[in-house]
Amino acid sequence: MKNQEGSCYEKLKKEREEYRVFARGGSGDYWAYTICGGCFNLCGIRVRVVDGCPVMVEGVPESDMGAQGGMCGKGVATIMYYHDPNRCNFPVKRTNPKKGIGEDPKWERVSWEEALDTIAEKLKQVRRKDPRMLVWGCTPGPGTSQKATLFVGPFFVTFGSHNRVWGGVGTHCGSAPHHIGGLVHAAWDILPDYTYCNYVLRCGGNEGVGLGRMASTAIRQCATARDRGMRMIVMDPIGYISGAKGQEWVPILPGMDSAVFLAMANLIVNEIKVYDKEYIRHKTNGPYLVGPDRLFMRDKESGKPTVWDEKDGMAKTYDDPTLTHPALEGEYAVYRINCQPAFQLLKEHLKQYEPGWASRVSTVPESMIRRFSKELVDAAKIGSMIEIEGVKIPYRPACVVGYKGVQGHQNSFHQYASLILLNSLLGNQDVAGGILGSGTVRGLGHPETGRPSFAPYAGYDGMLIPGMWFTQIPWPPAEAKGPGLVNLVDLFPHSGRSAYPYCDDWDEIWTKAGRPYEPEVMALWGANVVMNCANPKSAEKFLGKVPFTFSINTIHNETTEGFADIVLPECDFFESLDVASSIGFFFNYPIGLDKWSFHVGMPVVGPKYERRDTLDIFFDLADRVGIRSEYNSFLESYFSGKRMTWEQADVKEHDILKPDERISTKEFTDRTLKYYFGEKRGLEWFIENGFLTWEKRPEECYWRYFVDARIPIYYETNERDREKIREMAEKVGIHMDWEHYTPLPSFFSPVIYTELPPDSEFDLVAFSPHDVLHTHRLSAENPWVDEMSSLNPYVYNIVMNGETAKKKGIEDGDTICVENHWGDKVTGKVKLTQAAHPHVVSIVGLGSWAKGMPVAQGKGVNFNELLRADHKHMCPILLAQEVAVRVKACKVEAGK
Amino acid sequence: MIQTKPYEFMVKYTPQREWIEKRGIMLWLAFFFVELGAGAFIVSSVFGSLWGMFIGWFLCGVLGGGFHLLYLGHPFRFWRIILSHGWKTSWISRGLIFVGLFLILGAIHLILVQWASPVPGLLIAAGVFAFCTIVYVGFVMNYVNSIPLWNTPLLPVLYVILGIWGGLGVTLIALLATRDTAVVGSVEEWSRIFLLAFIFIVFIYLFSIRYQGPTGMTSVRQIVSGKWSPLFWVMVVVFGMVLPLGVALGSWLVGFAIPVGLLYLVVIFELLSDLALRYCILRYGLYAPLIPARI
Amino acid sequence: MRLGMLINLVKCVGCYACAIKCKQEHFLPPGIAWGRLLISETGIYPKVTKQLYPVLCSHCKEAPCVKACPTGATRKREDGIVWIDQDKCVGCRYCLIACPYQVRSYYSEEREYFPHQGPTEFEEMRKRLYPLQTGVVLKCTFCLERIDSGIKQGLKPGVDREATPACVIICPAKARYFGDLDDPGSEISSLIMEKRAVQLHPEYGTDPSVYYVIG
């Protein structure tokens, strides 16, 4: 630790001392518990350390947070991240003033003191002028998902900037699932209840088959379910990932799932006529009366939406205690205005979606659409009950599930809303055998302490509000204003995440908005923006203009090398103390009746060189910038359960830390754990025992009928907000199809099919599937992952249908060029398969070039270079990016 | 059709690699020299060429043995091959014993002949082990029942014919070089007989392998019409069959004596053809795909 | 006792946990894999089946590699495990060629995981914890060091994790089972009967100890 002086050196030394206990003196042969950092799912693990060297990783057999002792491949491989000689070990600053893709930063080592002083000075300047001038992004990985939203994000939020620009996940990550999942399940995502489910229609998602939500927990549960005979139909443009594990693979054109879903809903409601009426009646806003203006008919006094009580023959508010039988159909006069229940409107609206039409646009055979509708309804056993541990729960062992592939399109909102609609019709949401919000969103706490406890509740209009959430809660959408944020999320308040400002039209929009300020500081926590945000050139346009960028990383990447001025070296999850990753139960905790399994991210070895832990860095920065009390207050509010969202509670009692306390990460962790589980179960207990489990109660995991709240099948706020958003957006040059702001799930053809004629030479649709081994750009740097990837035909190659290739004169193994209609090109070797739709090209997003990741360099293809990000290629409601693109493919002749 | 990319390993027909690539190339030469040397020793002993026997011993022991040792991962452990009980089941173990005994007995005989008087029966014993040496390579490869190209009784027969035929060639050169021409004509005649046997066995071998299933068929296809097929057609067929046959037929029909230089050339071509054929057999020893696949 | 393994291909998702864990457990160098995942497909669009086969040494009852070994380095134990005594191996690779399942690897030379950057601490640890010689043939050992040390502690292979091969305990889909094939009452024997598990290429006459549930 030469060249270190002043308070930072002392802090570093103190932090090392505090972590020494975890490293057990740095000698010997021991197993230590922590949380896996291979992806964002945070399975519990144990690590073998020999003389300070982590050598082995395994799952924890006694825990349900993971595969009960097993782990997925990328998790096992994480040891190599720790041992990578290219890791960041010391703070560095850029000496090459030129920024841009592929630039050599010419790093020079600096002291922590100098680095933090420089950063703090910039932050203070910005805070004085306008805190929004600080733009920040973060990553959910590796192994850091909850740190992003509970340690990192809140620093910037308490600083005063909501200018979050994500980056690590890519800007389309979960746009619709997180938003609509929040509205409908109070959860970040959804998963089938594998314990009891008998029939799954899986669309555009690969969880349970190696990756995605809940990683090895889902693999374990899904494998057991499939082995006992659970039927899984996979509707996907490619059939070699989750399609390979289903009993049937149904090819479909990307972005056309909503056509099939709406046709199925039409069949279920209007032809088969079997759906869970009681669920819709009492658990959704289906009975809410809608006037001719397509808004709810509200009680004049209370402003609450009204329903028609069939028993009493009158309109009442939805929460009237005398209400018994709200009508789902019919026409009624309220305040002399003709109204209909929302469900009546939905029923009529669905009639236009005929199976024959859906088949034509999606290429899914009509017979299959009809068959799946019937099979779903039959398998759902609507009306049945099951008794679990003495508790009677509705039993609906069938569901529809989907994720990225469904929602990564310009019609994102309606794609996902129509999927969710199917589940609502079956009445299978958060009941036995059906579709569960991932994690468990209702917790009554540990039996001995009753903590941590959280539960969704009814809020605005009786609608479901999550009891805990990572960011601002999704309901109700705020009022549109601005734009005052570079991500334009204030202008589009239904959106939780946005591709802006890494878009080609951002500068023009910002100018039309009057350029309220210019971003001056970019703060990144791991986020490899350049690689993960559509086209690298789009990211470069923005990043290249920000005067100062600092980043906190475990390893250099394309973004730090191209654009960072200062990079701070961070502990990776083998060295990190992280209680943030222990909570977030609505995110990744084992679903269904799997036990509550509370693990803590604990260092298995002490940090080496001058790496520092995340929270310690942010505590230090908060001190220097002068926001420590606000930051502490956030942590207090969230971690003590007073308000587990980014909306802060007004904290009067301090259970974990006071605003003026300058405690370390270790102390914070210890206090949090003791607050949850009692004085005896602080950090020392967890170091010794690793984790804590307790039984889950049926009313926690199958909570739907234990929480009196409703969910939307009619999205009134779309109708309510349309005109205002349209007017404000058009003023700044954003022209979108505002018809998307319709309250009923509808079909909109995504832009990839409308921007070019059907007979265009760009006759293929390229997209990027999620591969089992790769979950971040970092994964290709792992030599074990790299070795296995080279043994997998679908990872480093461009994959296309064999017959399509034959027609183009392309043979297996040829080098081909894939080009979009803007002239962007990528080249790579082709792998021909029968397990791909004839009109698609599938490319796993890799193709690194960073010098700091030599193993990853040149491996695979950077799919994102084919994408363009602008308002024409976004969902008008959620700002979800269209992540498929029209391309053509041709063989590259040798020498060219 | 055959594996070309790492992820096609055992999904498509997979060629063996260890006995032909990198250091494996030494084994190709080792097998060649061991059999050629033993064959030369046998033929030379029958036709009474001491130089031929010595050259045969040298080819087998020094070159053949040397290349074997160069190929091994731990050559200094080779004594384990002899002292372990591997000979009960392993053809390599047996082979080393045969080679060892042949070299020892052969060396003793050569020393006795040169500087003392030969012991009756010693030469026969050496000859028997020399014959076993020629045979063993074929059985080493024949034992591998998952490579159809090798797993045929015709392979040891082919290798015996190659060994003797090559031995005839070496003996011919030894006789010509030492101007010991009394039996050259006889050696030449036997060489032609073995040429015919060689042509016959090669085609019978390749044809029969085709009927051993798709893997065998693919192996043969690769040899005769794959990327390296010129190696077969030029080196094996033209050099090893057409040219020697042409020379022999020409000489028989026209009745002229073949110039010595041409005889040397023919022998060299025949030896190159032998090498090329062994190369093809090693390189295109394919395993069947392990798992179901659309090939 | 004859130790064997069953792999349920219905459950297997092809996550590479087994292959990577094996490399980790035995500190295997780059390019050497004792367990592999073979991927192929059969069928014509859209009726396509992806084939996912984790393969490893089958520890055959009639092991051709044992007979082929000239030095006795490759031997079969009483519990059925076929193992290689590295000190006796001369590196002739006859066993590698003779194996119909091609599951053996020849360790020709040392290579680093991060080329030109020296061995990592993990690779240095190999020399202490699991030394491997170059110039010899290596293969899956059914983690016999785990089995042997587990049995010494009174643990049961296939039941207790510490006495069970690493690839079995790490599988997140619980697709792998391990136990005594000679015990008709063992879990693996029952599953072989119940699920009608098959061996790979029985026509080679090897009687492998690894079974597959095709589904």
Side-chain angles (χ1 to χ4, degrees):
Chain A
M1 281 187 277
K2 291 181 192 170
N3 302 327
Q4 292 297 304
E5 53 185 25
S7 65
C8 199
Y9 172 73
E10 293 303 318
K11 277 181 190 158
L12 201 58
K13 208 168 139 198
K14 184 168 178 290
E15 285 156 21
R16 294 279 188 90
E17 288 292 330
E18 293 207 314
Y19 278 29
R20 205 179 292 274
V21 63
F22 297 96
R24 320 229 172 144
S27 65
D29 188 341
Y30 59 86
W31 285 88
Y33 290 94
T34 185
I35 289 178
C36 178
C39 72
F40 45 80
N41 287 295
L42 311 171
C43 302
I45 59 169
R46 51 199 286 265
V47 182
R48 181 179 170 204
V49 180
V50 178
D51 288 350
C53 174
V55 293
M56 258 172 230
V57 193
E58 287 178 8
V60 178
E62 305 87 358
S63 166
D64 286 347
M65 185 79 171
Q68 291 169 343
M71 281 180 84
C72 74
K74 56 189 179 299
V76 177
T78 50
I79 289 276
M80 277 299 177
Y81 290 142
Y82 175 84
H83 290 292
D84 192 328
N86 300 289
R87 280 191 58 186
C88 298
N89 298 323
F90 307 98
V92 291
K93 76 174 181 194
R94 182 184 206 86
T95 57
N96 173 9
K98 216 164 156 243
K99 290 185 180 181
I101 290 172
E103 281 292 336
D104 181 358
K106 299 197 173 99
W107 299 123
E108 185 184 284
R109 183 178 161 184
V110 294
S111 66
W112 268 100
E113 200 65 42
E114 182 188 335
L116 288 179
D117 269 348
T118 309
I119 293 169
E121 196 46 48
K122 296 278 183 194
L123 290 178
K124 280 192 281 193
Q125 278 170 18
V126 153
R127 197 158 189 248
R128 279 193 291 272
K129 286 194 255 186
D130 184 341
R132 296 175 302 172
M133 289 176 166
L134 166 64
V135 176
W136 53 276
C138 50
T139 182
T144 50
S145 35
Q146 270 121 269
K147 271 198 214 172
T149 50
L150 301 182
F151 285 165
V152 178
F155 173 88
F156 299 109
V157 167
T158 52
F159 177 91
S161 169
H162 278 272
N163 259 332
R164 68 177 179 279
V165 292
W166 293 117
V169 290
T171 47
H172 84 297
C173 167
S175 298
H178 301 338
H179 179 72
I180 299 181
L183 300 183
V184 174
H185 291 274
W188 205 247
D189 199 354
I190 54 177
L191 282 171
D193 179 22
Y194 288 117
T195 309
Y196 293 104
C197 190
N198 294 330
Y199 189 100
V200 174
L201 175 61
R202 160 161 284 125
C203 315
N206 296 318
E207 52 75 25
V209 189
L211 55 176
R213 185 66 50 216
M214 281 207 211
S216 23
T217 311
I219 294 175
R220 164 175 59 86
Q221 293 182 345
C222 185
T224 305
R226 284 186 291 105
D227 195 45
R228 69 167 166 78
M230 180 189 81
R231 192 162 168 74
M232 190 163 87
I233 315 294
V234 176
M235 200 164 74
D236 201 297
I238 53 172
Y240 55 81
I241 307 183
S242 56
K245 301 314 300 183
Q247 279 83 359
E248 271 183 80
W249 167 53
V250 181
I252 185 173
L253 276 174
M256 290 301 197
D257 312 73
S258 48
V260 175
F261 296 151
L262 290 165
M264 288 173 70
N266 178 22
L267 287 168
I268 289 172
V269 170
N270 293 311
E271 213 172 280
I272 302 171
K273 297 185 184 175
V274 176
Y275 48 95
D276 198 336
K277 290 191 175 108
E278 294 313 301
Y279 180 78
I280 294 171
R281 203 186 301 281
H282 296 290
K283 288 295 175 188
T284 76
N285 63 3
Y288 287 17
L289 293 170
V290 179
D293 58 357
R294 305 214 296 177
L295 298 176
F296 291 141
M297 180 55 66
R298 293 177 180 272
D299 180 67
K300 282 186 175 155
E301 277 176 26
S302 61
K304 293 178 182 175
T306 53
V307 301
W308 189 265
D309 189 343
E310 280 181 330
K311 184 168 169 275
D312 293 341
M314 58 188 284
K316 297 177 180 172
T317 58
Y318 69 86
D319 58 351
D320 190 314
T322 66
L323 178 67
T324 48
H325 204 256
L328 289 182
E329 296 176 57
E331 198 165 320
Y332 308 98
V334 180
Y335 303 125
R336 294 191 194 156
I337 298 171
N338 284 345
C339 312
Q340 290 176 299
F343 185 76
Q344 173 75 50
L345 293 174
L346 174 70
K347 201 170 163 210
E348 294 303 315
H349 168 77
L350 287 172
K351 284 180 180 165
Q352 61 184 302
Y353 300 117
E354 289 174 1
W357 157 84
S359 173
R360 282 192 301 278
V361 301
S362 68
T363 71
V364 175
E366 181 180 344
S367 57
M368 282 186 177
I369 296 174
R370 290 184 173 277
R371 176 161 61 87
F372 297 151
S373 308
K374 187 84 181 45
E375 284 177 356
L376 257 181
V377 167
D378 289 342
K381 299 187 198 296
I382 291 167
S384 63
M385 300 289 282
I386 187 173
E387 191 167 314
I388 300 174
E389 294 174 17
V391 180
K392 283 204 170 60
I393 311 276
Y395 178 56
R396 304 283 184 275
C399 66
V400 185
V401 68
Y403 192 46
K404 277 196 180 14
V406 168
Q407 59 96 57
H409 299 289
Q410 192 229 356
N411 56 355
S412 179
F413 179 90
H414 289 282
Q415 285 269 101
Y416 209 74
S418 47
L419 183 158
I420 290 283
L421 174 64
L422 282 173
N423 287 325
S424 300
L425 292 172
L426 298 176
N428 65 5
Q429 290 158 327
D430 301 293
V431 296
I435 193 80
L436 306 181
S438 74
T440 302
V441 307
R442 184 175 190 240
L444 303 175
H446 189 270
E448 288 172 26
T449 61
R451 293 191 200 124
S453 80
F454 44 87
Y457 58 95
Y460 175 76
D461 282 359
M463 305 309 285
L464 188 73
I465 310 272
M468 74 180 308
W469 200 246
F470 275 158
T471 55
Q472 285 109 334
I473 53 170
W475 190 263
E479 210 179 314
K481 55 186 181 203
L485 298 176
V486 299
N487 54 26
L488 307 187
V489 163
D490 52 347
L491 182 57
F492 291 87
H494 296 251
S495 152
R497 54 198 19 82
S498 147
Y500 287 104
Y502 310 121
C503 297
D504 298 320
D505 57 347
W506 178 79
D507 207 58
E508 199 185 314
I509 292 169
W510 201 240
T511 303
K512 286 188 174 144
R515 301 200 83 90
Y517 53 89
E518 296 302 324
E520 285 198 4
V521 176
M522 181 90 203
L524 291 169
W525 184 67
N528 194 351
V529 167
V530 164
M531 295 302 275
N532 291 331
C533 297
N535 201 302
K537 296 194 197 92
S538 309
E540 184 181 36
K541 275 185 199 154
F542 180 80
L543 291 172
K545 291 187 187 148
V546 179
F548 180 77
T549 298
F550 75 93
S551 189
I552 303 172
N553 285 66
T554 54
I555 196 165
H556 285 291
N557 56 36
E558 288 78 6
T559 303
T560 61
E561 290 181 1
F563 303 96
D565 293 285
I566 288 181
V567 177
L568 304 176
E570 202 204 1
C571 294
D572 78 356
F573 70 95
F574 286 103
E575 303 157 307
S576 172
L577 181 58
D578 168 22
V579 74
S581 295
S582 309
I583 58 178
F585 307 96
F586 68 100
F587 175 71
N588 64 328
Y589 264 64
I591 54 161
L593 280 168
D594 274 8
K595 296 191 288 265
W596 291 105
S597 306
F598 191 99
H599 291 255
V600 182
M602 294 184 282
V604 305
V605 283
K608 278 197 171 139
Y609 303 104
E610 291 182 19
R611 302 169 192 158
R612 292 182 73 190
D613 208 351
T614 322
L615 190 56
D616 289 320
I617 296 174
F618 281 98
F619 274 153
D620 201 337
L621 269 177
D623 286 334
R624 288 166 195 255
V625 172
I627 59 167
R628 183 66 182 257
S629 59
E630 291 94 323
Y631 192 48
N632 276 8
S633 296
F634 178 92
L635 295 174
E636 165 65 33
S637 167
Y638 200 104
F639 283 81
S640 70
K642 291 179 183 62
R643 184 72 196 257
M644 294 175 110
T645 69
W646 279 7
E647 288 86 0
Q648 289 292 282
D650 191 14
V651 175
K652 292 194 171 50
E653 279 175 23
H654 297 93
D655 299 302
I656 297 178
L657 80 162
K658 298 189 174 64
D660 54 353
E661 283 189 286
R662 299 285 182 271
I663 59 172
S664 64
T665 302
K666 187 161 169 258
E667 180 64 26
F668 174 72
T669 309
D670 185 50
R671 291 187 190 183
T672 305
L673 294 171
K674 282 175 176 161
Y675 179 70
Y676 288 158
F677 304 117
E679 279 303 307
K680 288 185 190 154
R681 291 202 188 98
L683 192 51
E684 289 295 325
W685 188 93
F686 274 89
I687 293 170
E688 194 54 42
N689 296 278
F691 60 97
L692 181 62
T693 62
W694 65 97
E695 294 300 319
K696 204 182 284 173
R697 289 171 257 195
E699 55 268 38
E700 287 175 315
C701 53
Y702 304 123
W703 56 267
R704 181 64 65 176
Y705 284 84
F706 295 91
V707 172
D708 189 15
R710 291 173 181 268
I711 59 166
I713 58 170
Y714 187 90
Y715 297 84
E716 191 221 22
T717 45
N718 283 355
E719 182 65 39
R720 183 194 72 185
D721 295 345
R722 182 187 340 112
E723 279 314 304
K724 183 167 185 194
I725 293 173
R726 184 191 62 77
E727 199 186 311
M728 294 172 73
E730 299 258 346
K731 261 196 202 139
V732 294
I734 296 175
H735 309 289
M736 289 170 149
D737 181 0
W738 306 110
E739 293 306 311
H740 281 246
Y741 278 86
T742 175
L744 292 166
S746 303
F747 175 76
F748 293 94
S749 189
V751 64
I752 45 173
Y753 302 112
T754 58
E755 63 185 347
L756 290 174
D759 58 354
S760 161
E761 60 172 326
F762 298 95
D763 57 339
L764 302 170
V765 177
F767 67 95
S768 185
H770 199 172
D771 179 75
V772 67
L773 283 167
H774 293 275
T775 195
H776 306 291
R777 294 294 176 153
L778 183 59
S779 46
E781 171 65 10
N782 188 308
W784 282 331
V785 171
D786 173 46
E787 201 171 314
M788 296 301 149
S789 297
S790 65
L791 300 176
N792 184 312
Y794 308 113
V795 177
Y796 286 154
N797 297 312
I798 298 172
V799 182
M800 65 189 287
N801 178 283
E803 295 312 310
T804 305
K806 202 167 151 187
K807 287 179 193 156
K808 295 178 188 290
I810 295 172
E811 288 177 5
D812 195 54
D814 282 347
T815 300
I816 66 168
C817 174
V818 177
E819 183 181 348
N820 67 19
H821 51 104
W822 298 292
D824 302 309
K825 295 176 191 175
V826 295
T827 54
K829 289 249 181 318
V830 75
K831 162 71 186 156
L832 300 185
T833 179
Q834 293 292 313
H837 192 287
H839 294 303
V840 305
V841 171
S842 167
I843 305 173
V844 174
L846 294 165
S848 281
W849 64 79
K851 291 198 186 64
M853 297 206 290
V855 175
Q857 258 184 19
K859 302 280 169 62
V861 176
N862 188 11
F863 167 80
N864 286 355
E865 288 176 19
L866 291 171
L867 295 178
R868 287 290 175 100
D870 56 42
H871 66 268
K872 293 192 193 92
H873 296 87
M874 282 180 194
C875 171
I877 300 175
L878 299 172
L879 295 184
Q881 256 181 277
E882 175 60 67
V883 291
V885 60
R886 290 281 287 276
V887 296
K888 63 179 180 183
C890 60
K891 187 171 164 173
V892 172
E893 301 300 332
K896 290 189 182 167
Chain B
M1 245 192 314
I2 63 169
Q3 178 230 332
T4 53
K5 302 172 196 63
Y7 50 81
E8 293 170 344
F9 181 79
M10 291 311 284
V11 169
K12 292 189 170 175
Y13 301 105
T14 306
Q16 68 84 17
R17 292 222 141 96
E18 290 296 333
W19 282 2
I20 199 64
E21 286 184 10
K22 296 184 191 167
R23 266 166 82 172
I25 206 81
M26 308 273 180
L27 206 64
W28 164 58
L29 296 168
F31 285 161
F32 170 71
F33 283 115
V34 150
E35 289 202 320
L36 181 67
F41 185 90
I42 292 171
V43 170
S44 296
S45 63
V46 164
F47 287 99
S49 167
L50 202 62
W51 268 110
M53 288 164 70
F54 175 70
I55 291 169
W57 187 97
F58 181 86
L59 288 173
C60 181
V62 176
L63 290 185
F67 279 121
H68 264 111
L69 290 176
L70 279 174
Y71 163 75
L72 291 177
H74 283 271
F76 295 111
R77 292 179 186 170
F78 81 93
W79 53 269
R80 289 188 180 275
I81 298 177
I82 302 168
L83 296 186
S84 74
H85 293 289
W87 57 267
K88 286 183 189 168
T89 54
S90 168
W91 276 102
I92 283 189
S93 197
R94 291 168 188 163
L96 187 59
I97 292 169
F98 295 152
V99 169
L101 286 172
F102 154 59
L103 291 175
I104 292 167
L105 295 175
I108 295 172
H109 171 78
L110 286 170
I111 291 167
L112 290 177
V113 161
Q114 184 67 12
W115 287 291
S117 42
V119 170
L122 189 64
L123 179 61
I124 294 171
V128 165
F129 285 115
F131 186 77
C132 292
T133 299
I134 299 174
V135 164
Y136 106 83
V137 171
F139 277 108
V140 161
M141 294 168 71
N142 184 26
Y143 172 78
V144 181
N145 68 350
S146 44
I147 298 180
L149 187 67
W150 299 0
N151 187 231
T152 164
L154 290 176
L155 193 69
V157 173
L158 170 64
Y159 276 19
V160 166
I161 290 174
L162 282 177
I164 303 292
W165 187 46
L168 284 162
V170 169
T171 304
L172 192 62
I173 288 180
L175 290 171
L176 289 172
T178 54
R179 297 186 200 283
D180 185 357
T181 53
V183 294
V184 162
S186 200
V187 171
E188 239 188 282
E189 264 179 44
W190 276 103
S191 188
R192 284 170 196 171
I193 293 169
F194 269 83
L195 168 65
L196 291 173
F198 167 66
I199 295 169
F200 178 72
I201 195 72
V202 165
F203 284 102
I204 294 292
Y205 167 66
L206 291 176
F207 259 102
S208 66
I209 295 293
R210 289 176 65 231
Y211 302 131
Q212 290 234 59
T215 311
M217 172 81 92
T218 309
S219 285
V220 172
R221 269 217 192 108
Q222 290 296 316
I223 292 172
V224 304
S225 56
K227 199 172 139 196
W228 289 86
S229 59
L231 187 70
F232 174 75
W233 290 108
V234 174
M235 300 289 284
V236 177
V237 175
V238 171
F239 279 25
M241 297 176 187
V242 171
L243 285 177
L245 201 59
V247 167
L249 272 174
S251 152
W252 182 62
L253 286 171
V254 174
F256 70 88
I258 305 169
V260 168
L262 189 58
L263 275 175
Y264 276 125
L265 203 62
V266 166
V267 170
I268 289 169
F269 278 177
E270 287 173 351
L271 293 176
L272 286 173
S273 159
D274 182 344
L275 263 175
L277 180 64
R278 285 171 192 274
Y279 186 87
C280 289
I281 293 173
L282 283 170
R283 176 157 277 283
Y284 291 109
L286 301 180
Y287 294 89
L290 190 62
I291 64 173
R294 285 178 61 253
I295 304 293
Chain C
M1 172 158 74
R2 182 179 156 208
L3 292 173
M5 193 180 288
L6 179 136
I7 302 176
N8 186 338
L9 298 182
V10 173
K11 290 176 123 185
C12 173
V13 296
C15 70
Y16 290 94
C18 48
I20 297 177
K21 180 62 177 165
C22 179
K23 287 192 71 105
Q24 183 180 99
E25 183 81 14
H26 305 105
F27 297 84
L28 297 183
I32 305 263
W34 292 356
R36 296 169 192 268
L37 182 66
L38 303 185
I39 299 178
S40 67
E41 52 181 72
T42 53
I44 303 284
Y45 176 85
K47 302 274 179 225
V48 188
T49 305
K50 180 185 181 186
Q51 306 287 345
L52 275 173
Y53 274 80
V55 295
L56 69 165
C57 174
S58 302
H59 298 269
C60 307
K61 196 169 179 193
E62 300 298 326
C65 54
V66 173
K67 291 182 190 153
C69 181
T71 64
T74 289
R75 302 202 280 275
K76 195 164 177 63
R77 299 180 357 159
E78 275 181 22
D79 57 8
I81 292 180
V82 176
W83 68 292
I84 303 171
D85 184 343
Q86 291 185 56
D87 291 330
K88 290 191 174 156
C89 179
V90 289
C92 70
R93 295 158 249 173
Y94 193 23
C95 55
L96 192 153
I97 301 283
C99 175
Y101 306 107
Q102 286 204 280
V103 290
R104 288 172 168 252
S105 309
Y106 177 65
Y107 187 18
S108 53
E109 56 184 359
E110 284 198 25
R111 277 164 48 203
E112 296 157 355
Y113 271 114
F114 295 93
H116 315 302
Q117 293 188 278
T120 59
E121 216 185 327
F122 177 85
E123 291 162 274
E124 294 286 354
M125 200 48 82
R126 177 197 305 143
K127 294 172 191 158
R128 271 185 51 193
L129 296 181
Y130 209 88
L132 297 169
Q133 295 180 23
T134 52
V136 302
V137 170
L138 305 170
K139 72 165 190 74
C140 159
T141 59
F142 267 0
C143 292
L144 53 83
E145 61 281 341
R146 287 174 76 106
I147 290 171
D148 291 344
S149 78
I151 288 175
K152 265 196 205 134
Q153 296 166 51
L155 303 173
K156 209 163 167 216
V159 173
D160 299 302
R161 283 171 67 84
E162 290 76 17
T164 302
C167 58
V168 175
I169 59 135
I170 205 66
C171 178
K174 306 287 178 216
R176 293 170 93 116
Y177 301 84
F178 190 75
D180 185 359
L181 295 172
D182 284 344
D183 174 8
S186 66
E187 189 187 17
I188 188 174
S189 297
S190 322
L191 280 169
I192 289 171
M193 290 291 292
E194 183 194 319
K195 304 271 186 186
R196 299 183 200 202
V198 299
Q199 297 162 316
L200 274 185
H201 290 282
E203 70 274 14
Y204 290 136
T206 50
D207 196 2
S209 306
V210 175
Y211 286 77
Y212 291 86
V213 175
I214 309 293

